[in-house]
Amino acid sequence: MAQLAGFNLQSLIIGCKYTRAFSVDSVSGILADYVLGETGAAGSPVPKKFYERIRFGVGMVELLDKEETHHFTVTRDAMVLIESTKQMAQSLEDTDRCFALAKHLIPGSLALIKKPKAINLGIVWQFTKTSTKERERFAHPAAEALVNKLTKFNLKPIEHPSDMNLRMSFRKQTEEGHVQQDVNDYLNINLHIRDAAINELWPIEPIEKEYDWDQETRIATISVDMQRVFDPRIPLTADLITAHWEYCNRQMEGRISQLLGEVGFGKESDKN
């Protein structure tokens, strides 16, 4: 698994999108029973007392734990499994468990909803800067650091940006085809670098203080979203998820890490 110097892995998301071939409302109870039945079952990678809460909504069912660090959500458009940390200083270590859960639960759930036509599978890594700074009035350290890394112009001493982000999306041809022999698949890659309020990632109790809007803690984040488009006429199997997972991990260790280094992120010098 790729490591970025100075950053923690805050969350890992694995999921698929599909055409609207079913109503979530008509199968929400079945899906919840299935996932809960897999917790602690023989041969299942889902631990006991893993998902402890259920949320139902219009066109949505979600299973989660009490601390809301484990999510499995099904909507009309997508099926998503999320593992995240509960504290800023933590790094998500057990990515293999997240992958095992997705490989087991996603194909199993898809089989219960009248074979929807899966159209792509995505994996999202979100990294967060391990060190944070408090903003001063009329200053914005996190955004200012991003300006220095990503832009070619200098601001005057009294000028400070209120927000800065970098978005880069591109399509990459894979090394080999998995859906069709001798026909390469394509990988959509989205890089999103930004600064965010810390309570966007880890909800905290608000602290009443003067100029609170100007003093909130900011944190630098990197989100890497890799989407592999599959033939919607074939079933989304555990083998397809494995192929995507292995390919994306190779990209994270190679090309993606290189791209992030080119814009000043993930280098050892970031620790200083």
Side-chain angles (χ1 to χ4, degrees), residues 10-229:
Q10 186 267 327
S11 66
L12 178 62
I13 304 171
I14 303 176
C16 64
K17 297 180 181 179
Y18 35 70
T19 58
R20 294 187 177 185
F22 66 98
S23 168
V24 177
D25 301 317
S26 64
V27 295
S28 58
I30 297 174
L31 289 172
D33 288 343
Y34 163 69
V35 175
L36 292 176
E38 290 294 318
T39 57
S44 170
V46 189
K48 291 183 178 180
K49 297 182 180 180
F50 193 71
Y51 295 117
E52 302 170 288
R53 299 168 56 194
I54 304 175
R55 292 174 179 165
F56 292 103
V58 178
M60 182 274 291
V61 59
E62 180 180 39
L63 291 98
L64 61 161
D65 66 331
K66 292 180 180 179
E67 295 179 334
E68 299 190 12
T69 57
H70 313 309
H71 296 254
F72 184 69
T73 306
V74 181
T75 69
R76 293 189 181 101
D77 301 295
M79 186 177 296
V80 177
L81 188 143
I82 304 174
E83 294 283 285
S84 60
T85 60
K86 62 179 179 180
Q87 296 177 358
M88 182 181 63
Q90 290 181 329
S91 185
L92 190 63
E93 302 291 344
D94 199 354
T95 55
D96 288 340
R97 182 184 69 181
C98 182
F99 167 65
L101 293 173
K103 183 178 175 181
H104 187 79
L105 292 178
I106 290 177
S109 298
L110 287 170
L112 296 174
I113 51 181
K114 301 177 182 178
K115 298 181 180 180
K117 295 179 179 179
I119 57 177
N120 78 348
L121 181 74
I123 301 178
V124 183
W125 293 262
Q126 179 156 287
F127 297 89
T128 57
K129 190 73 171 180
T130 55
S131 60
T132 61
K133 297 179 181 180
E134 289 287 341
R135 287 201 295 174
E136 298 177 0
R137 194 175 188 193
F138 304 124
H140 194 320
E144 188 174 8
L146 288 176
V147 168
N148 294 333
K149 295 174 186 292
L150 304 178
T151 62
K152 301 299 182 182
F153 60 89
N154 295 320
L155 296 175
K156 296 180 180 179
I158 61 173
E159 296 175 333
H160 299 279
S162 62
D163 186 36
M164 173 61 68
N165 67 70
L166 163 71
R167 296 188 184 188
M168 176 171 59
S169 301
F170 59 96
R171 171 168 286 189
K172 178 179 175 62
Q173 190 174 13
T174 60
E175 296 153 347
E176 58 184 9
H178 187 84
V179 176
Q180 298 182 44
Q181 187 175 3
D182 300 325
V183 178
N184 286 343
D185 306 328
Y186 285 88
L187 194 73
N188 296 322
I189 303 175
N190 304 306
L191 294 178
H192 188 195
I193 301 172
R194 69 187 184 107
D195 71 310
I198 191 172
N199 57 13
E200 292 180 14
L201 301 178
W202 300 278
I204 57 177
E205 292 295 328
I207 301 175
E208 294 294 335
K209 58 184 178 181
E210 189 177 6
Y211 303 120
D212 185 66
W213 62 271
D214 197 49
Q215 298 292 332
E216 64 179 10
T217 303
R218 309 293 292 188
I219 188 167
T221 67
I222 298 174
S223 177
V224 182
D225 180 7
M226 298 193 210
Q227 304 170 348
R228 192 168 183 173
V229 180

Side-chain angles (χ1 to χ4, degrees), residues 225-240:
D225 180 7
M226 298 193 210
Q227 304 170 348
R228 192 168 183 173
V229 180
F230 290 110
D231 188 335
R233 294 166 294 184
I234 65 173
L236 182 57
T237 63
D239 288 342
L240 285 177

